[in-house]
Amino acid sequence: MTPPLNEPPPPVVEMRGISLAFPGVKALQDVDFRLFPGEVHALMGENGAGKSTLIKTLTGVHRPDGGQVVLGGDEVAFSSPGEAQHAGISTVYQEVNLCANLTVAENILLGREPRRFGGIDFPAMRKRAGEVLARIGVHIDPGSSLGEHPIAVQQLVAIARAIAVDCRVLVLDEPTSSLDAGEVAELFRIMRVLRDEGVAILFVSHFLDQVYEISDRMTVLRNGSLVGEHLTADVDRRTLIAQMIGRDLGALEAIEDAAEKRHPDGPVLLHASELGRRGAIDPFDLEIRAGEVVGLAGLLGSGRTELARLLFGADRADSGRLVVDGKPLRLRGPRSAIAAGIAFSSEDRKGEGLVADLSIRDNLVLAMQAARGWTRPLPRRTKDQLVEKYLKALDIRPANPDALVRTLSGGNQQKVLLARWLVTEPRLLILDEPTRGIDIGAKAQIQQLVTTLAAEGTAVLFISAELEEVVRISDRIVVLRDRRKIAELDGSVTGVDEVVELIAGGAAPEKVVS
Amino acid sequence: MKNRLLWPLLALAALLLLNLIVTPSFFSLRMQDGALYGGLVDVLKNGAPTLLIALGMTLVIATRGIDLSVGAVAAIAGAVTCVHIGTSGSAGTAIAGMAIALVLCAVLGLWNGFLVAGLGIQPIIATLVLMTAGRGVAMLVTEGQIVTVNNTAYKQVGAGFLVLPISILISLLVLGLVAFVTRKTALGMLIEAVGVNPEASRLAGVRSRTIIWTVYVFAAVCAGIAGLMISSNVSAADANNAGLWIEMDAILAVVIGGTSLAGGRYSLTGTLLGALIIQTLTTTVYTIGVAPEVTLVFKAVVVIAVCLVQAPKARAALSFRKVAVPS
């Protein structure tokens, strides 16, 4: 592995053996990372791979449990983002963190305004801001108010703010997610200008085409571990995707034996024809049988969550029909889906799943209670029996029904969420990333549970970023790319490689940047 | 739970103690014509409307909302009833007037619920509409006059006694009812779930809108009953001043009682304590003879003190030991 230049300069950032654990999760394990001056370095990985954790460790938001961070040859330990910025590490986040009601110049120099006679020297401020903007070739009036400009320009102002201080390292976290092709090209032009000035740029994006266009080098993470560091030119898409999605054998091999490939021939439970929602997922056909595990495979943003949300009525479809049990079903919201025996465990456990400030007991019975309505409370004894049953069945710890869900580890929270739906005895269980960000033990338990449920006749729609996992437990695999269903494969004969091939499928033409 | 209520309880005790020191007769009670009189009874009687409104406010705040219109709604209830009674002295007219007023209040609650749950307007803005417009409605009803009535039946609601003041009996009855309904049915849990995480609750199938709608109607009806007490106590309807700023007292009572403005878990007992603290504070201002021009400052200082001692950080600083503060 050679740096892009012939005479390699020493890395400006070197992270060695970084480890960081959150309760119940090992977010980073022994990760090495190097960033050279004058390069654009892409940090790659699926959700939960540890990208943002690694960035936050670099920018002083988190402190690593182990390992060292070396900046320009000196070991550093930032205790706040401010310190990191002072040392020359600037970060621009996905959402623009600026004040729309202030002027462009004020935003660029907020907190470090030039002063004169104890007041702010506005002419000097506009001049300095103008210089910074000129450096990256953005020609707007520094005295105009930021809110007048489109989001893309605001993003460039955020970058101007980041480089207004002496900045050696610029971190861009998903800067392109809300930009169109022309704006992306403008951003890339600026990134190249800065790169040529010697700034080290760390770039995160889940658009592969963009990564291949702009980056010189990449580091791939998976499950909090380093998978590899490559020159972008040396690694093709297929290899990259395979690395990101990965093979995570070992601890999970036990499941493989349990989940012998079956050919469920239960009655058709759900049939979607031409179901779709503009801007979310193109119309698709899908059939799910009782006792069948259908896996959804695709990269982040491929439409896997969007598809699931349509089937649950979390979002409304604007085309197509849904037939459940041979009868047409119009989903007006989650309630009608729940009434039809459909359950949906969201990928966003904290935001859309659990009610963090309520107890395990309340969270467990929430869906069932909601279906009964508030006037018919579950009798205390039934409640206790249910709670006791699922605490034991899913091995939820602590086994204390009064513990607030907020205090539980990720894996146990996930189990509580699962249990909430199991209580309602659904006929179709939609699991969106049920194993993300949880430890390997809980992961195995959840996969085991899916297999058991299917054997008992429950249909399961299983979504996971980890292809290994999808292939292992699915009877059938639906492959999504760019918000389209592109294939349906027999799970018993499909291998990971085959799915990777489909997902990679060459460049997606509509995302190519001019 | 016990722990959460400890500080409000101590604050109340301290206030009462202060009164006892300044006015040794504060705790003495006497029976006269089958009615109980004394400083404590006054606190209860005068605090009844605040308590009632604070009960409604507790549930609204638990759903992450707030209802600023309760004072105006109280004024409307009093105005409608007094105008309906007019010069009549009959109990029937009084009861009919109160019934009309409360139904109207329920409709006003539906309006608030529509703005918040139906249109998705921020609660503080949505209820601000009725807070300002409501006073105007009350003015229209009373035609800008202070309407006085002379009706013994109506007088009972705010000034009558059944050993204890009838107003506090009504408030305690409503407290009991709310406690029973929210804790014996699943309503309380669903309200909390909606307050903590509306989206997760929706995806779990909770009828969030219906629940939000319900709490605003309940809050408005509570405000209506409180308005009847206020107006009945003086046998008059004053569109401008009845229930003025009572929404602030109610919100304070809820917060002092330990229910977070961020929504979620609520405590009715806490609200009861909060309302008593607010009223005792007001009474104290008079008994210890705080100069009228610094009355509000005095109240503010006490309220800040009570809120501070409940904050984990402040308590940590006070006790000079480290308390885990969730970041």
Side-chain angles (χ1 to χ4, degrees), chain B residues 133-286:
Chain B
R135 293 268 166 209
V137 172
M139 291 280 275
L140 280 177
V141 173
T142 59
E143 291 171 342
Q145 307 294 313
I146 292 182
V147 179
T148 53
V149 293
N150 190 4
N151 185 309
T152 9
Y154 185 50
K155 182 108 183 127
Q156 293 303 312
V157 177
F161 277 85
L162 267 174
V163 182
L164 284 173
I166 290 179
S167 56
I168 192 64
L169 293 179
I170 295 177
S171 292
L172 291 177
L173 182 72
V174 174
L175 171 65
L177 264 174
V178 182
F180 182 81
V181 169
T182 54
R183 293 307 180 196
K184 284 297 162 189
T185 71
L187 187 60
M189 180 189 99
L190 295 182
I191 286 176
E192 289 183 339
V194 169
V196 175
N197 192 336
E199 183 57 11
S201 304
R202 183 181 83 94
L203 290 181
V206 178
R207 288 183 204 268
S208 316
R209 279 183 184 197
T210 318
I211 283 174
I212 291 174
W213 223 309
T214 310
V215 296
Y216 280 95
V217 171
F218 175 70
V221 171
C222 283
I225 302 175
L228 297 181
M229 290 174 184
I230 294 167
S231 136
S232 146
N233 193 33
V234 294
S235 283
D238 181 346
N240 279 323
N241 295 312
L244 194 62
W245 306 128
I246 201 167
E247 57 276 350
M248 296 305 160
D249 278 354
I251 293 168
L252 265 181
V254 175
V255 173
I256 289 177
T259 300
S260 160
L261 282 177
R265 312 209 76 157
Y266 65 88
S267 162
L268 293 173
T269 323
T271 297
L272 171 67
L273 287 176
L276 289 177
I277 288 175
I278 297 278
Q279 190 54 48
T280 312
L281 191 53
T282 311
T283 310
T284 309
V285 166
Y286 297 125

Side-chain angles (χ1 to χ4, degrees), chain A residues 321-467:
Chain A
R321 282 179 308 124
L322 192 62
V323 176
V324 175
D325 285 334
K327 278 172 287 192
L329 178 67
R330 262 207 101 63
L331 289 178
R332 265 166 288 118
R335 283 183 69 82
S336 31
I338 294 168
I342 304 174
F344 170 63
S345 154
S346 165
E347 61 173 335
D348 182 1
R349 272 199 301 272
K350 287 204 180 74
E352 299 180 348
L354 294 161
V355 183
D357 279 337
L358 292 189
S359 62
I360 294 181
R361 179 190 293 111
D362 287 347
N363 270 284
L364 266 179
V365 299
L366 185 63
M368 185 180 225
Q369 186 60 67
R372 291 167 66 101
W374 66 266
T375 48
R376 291 169 53 223
L378 280 167
R380 182 68 193 219
R381 200 187 313 154
T382 321
K383 228 194 263 192
D384 286 345
Q385 280 168 356
L386 280 173
V387 171
E388 195 186 337
K389 175 177 162 197
Y390 283 100
L391 283 181
K392 201 183 267 170
L394 300 189
D395 187 27
I396 295 171
R397 289 176 207 175
N400 168 14
D402 292 314
L404 296 188
V405 161
R406 173 158 48 91
T407 62
L408 268 54
S409 73
N412 283 302
Q413 289 186 346
Q414 186 63 52
K415 289 186 202 165
V416 171
L417 186 55
L418 261 175
R420 172 196 292 171
W421 292 113
L422 296 181
V423 166
T424 65
E425 298 183 347
R427 291 184 304 154
L428 168 61
L429 181 59
I430 305 173
L431 299 176
D432 194 356
E433 298 262 20
T435 59
R436 182 205 295 167
I438 66 180
D439 59 67
I440 210 88
K443 214 172 232 183
Q445 285 172 326
I446 286 174
Q447 294 180 1
Q448 181 66 58
L449 182 75
V450 168
T451 326
T452 315
L453 282 171
E456 288 166 7
T458 311
V460 180
L461 185 66
F462 188 88
I463 306 176
S464 172
E466 277 178 63
L467 219 38

Side-chain angles (χ1 to χ4, degrees), chain A residues 153-202:
Chain A
V153 174
Q154 296 188 17
Q155 191 115 42
L156 300 181
V157 172
I159 292 175
R161 173 175 168 76
I163 61 166
V165 287
D166 182 27
C167 154
R168 287 189 279 176
V169 176
L170 178 61
V171 180
L172 300 174
D173 192 358
E174 303 239 7
T176 58
S177 55
S178 51
L179 307 186
D180 69 24
E183 293 163 346
V184 170
E186 174 70 5
L187 175 71
F188 284 1
R189 183 188 62 72
I190 291 169
M191 284 169 70
R192 290 191 185 101
V193 168
L194 293 173
R195 178 190 63 191
D196 296 343
E197 287 178 11
V199 178
I201 299 178
L202 177 57

